[in-house]
Amino acid sequence: MSKNKAFCCVLILICALCVCAVVTYAATDDNDAVAIEPTESAMFIAGQHYKTILQTDGLSTSNETTIVASYHGHNITSRILEYQRDMNELFVSVGSASYETDREIINRIIRGIMLTEEAERLGLTATDDEINARMDSVLQAYSLPDGKEMIEVYCEGAGITVDEYFQKQREQIPESVAHRKLKNEICKQYCLDNNLEYNADAPLSEDMLAAEDAYIAALFERNKNDIVYYLDEAEIS
């Protein structure tokens, strides 16, 4: 599997599986947790979105699927954009997100790539122990009645087994951990700069969240000239 295809697989899994709030760490590209209370219907729909993109091979380009943007060798296809749009609409419907334009969706995807590259540059990769700890939380979620029900409904919609769900969760963990470790370092540096004590277990203050946002915004600003958008402004609203 190519690097770009592997990234897109992880991107799809992160977006789809974060609907399952019982998995406490489920993440989107810019947010480490989506605090929602999904219904069974929402879980089933999320699974169907995931199933559809796999059935249509939405990761590749074809006559029906074109590249809408690229960054450092990572191609974002029109099918990926459509899938992310569908998921955004689902998140909006359950009250966990605000509406995003196509350009905002594309930029969100690219920010995720930038965060991964930045984490790799700083050596903030996931260890085996961290991956196993995250998987333990997934299994613990499934051991709870509500978690078991939601995960199984999602799997039914996606046309995958629970074991396949666990495997797909494991595949997305390293990138999720790397993003979180990078954001932890941002918060540590903020505390150091402001003579504050850093506590990884404490809720982030508004100032720390603002520091994260500022760092990510600066990262995007430094690298935005490497983004190539293939659709006109009129086509990417």
Side-chain angles (χ1 to χ4, degrees):
M1 181 181 293
S2 69
K3 182 178 179 181
N4 182 66
K5 191 163 185 176
F7 166 77
C8 288
C9 286
V10 170
L11 174 66
I12 290 168
L13 291 169
I14 288 173
C15 190
L17 300 180
C18 71
V19 176
C20 190
V22 294
V23 181
T24 57
Y25 72 89
T28 63
D29 301 293
D30 290 335
N31 300 291
D32 290 291
V34 177
I36 63 177
E37 296 181 1
T39 63
E40 287 188 24
S41 60
M43 293 299 297
F44 187 79
I45 292 169
Q48 287 184 314
H49 288 328
Y50 179 59
K51 181 178 181 180
T52 297
I53 198 169
L54 292 183
Q55 289 177 334
T56 57
D57 193 21
L59 304 179
S60 63
T61 56
S62 66
N63 290 336
E64 295 79 27
T65 307
T66 57
I67 297 173
V68 298
S70 65
Y71 174 78
H72 289 183
H74 298 284
N75 294 326
I76 295 104
T77 67
S78 58
R79 188 64 189 89
I80 289 289
L81 176 59
E82 180 183 349
Y83 169 81
Q84 292 281 342
R85 190 188 302 125
D86 289 340
M87 292 302 296
N88 176 243
E89 291 175 356
L90 179 59
F91 292 149
V92 169
S93 73
V94 297
S96 69
S98 56
Y99 171 78
E100 293 177 307
T101 66
D102 288 351
R103 175 64 70 114
E104 288 170 337
I105 290 172
I106 290 171
N107 286 346
R108 171 168 55 79
I109 293 169
I110 292 172
R111 280 196 300 274
I113 303 172
M114 291 179 181
L115 286 174
T116 299
E117 290 181 343
E118 182 76 348
E120 290 176 353
R121 183 183 72 82
L122 296 173
L124 301 173
T125 56
T127 65
D128 288 343
D129 286 345
E130 288 167 335
I131 293 171
N132 290 335
R134 287 290 184 94
M135 274 309 300
D136 286 344
S137 71
V138 177
L139 296 172
Q140 183 178 9
Y142 187 68
S143 71
L144 303 173
D146 288 345
K148 184 176 188 295
E149 181 179 16
M150 289 296 182
I151 290 172
E152 289 181 351
V153 168
Y154 175 86
C155 291
E156 181 183 357
I160 60 176
T161 66
V162 172
D163 285 343
E164 288 173 326
Y165 173 88
F166 291 148
Q167 178 57 39
K168 294 177 192 305
Q169 284 278 2
R170 180 174 283 276
E171 289 169 3
Q172 67 93 34
I173 285 173
E175 192 152 20
S176 174
V177 169
H179 287 191
R180 185 64 265 164
K181 291 174 80 169
L182 174 59
K183 292 179 180 180
N184 285 345
E185 289 302 311
I186 296 169
C187 291
K188 286 180 184 178
Q189 187 61 50
Y190 171 84
C191 289
L192 181 63
D193 292 342
N194 291 276
N195 297 316
L196 299 173
E197 182 178 352
Y198 175 71
N199 182 351
D201 297 324
L204 297 182
S205 68
E206 290 186 7
D207 287 342
M208 287 185 183
L209 291 173
E212 284 186 3
D213 290 343
Y215 188 101
I216 294 169
L219 181 66
F220 186 87
E221 188 68 21
R222 289 198 305 272
N223 293 283
K224 68 179 183 181
N225 290 337
D226 292 341
I227 305 170
V228 180
Y229 299 98
Y230 293 100
L231 296 186
D232 294 336
E233 289 291 341
E235 295 177 276
I236 303 181
S237 57

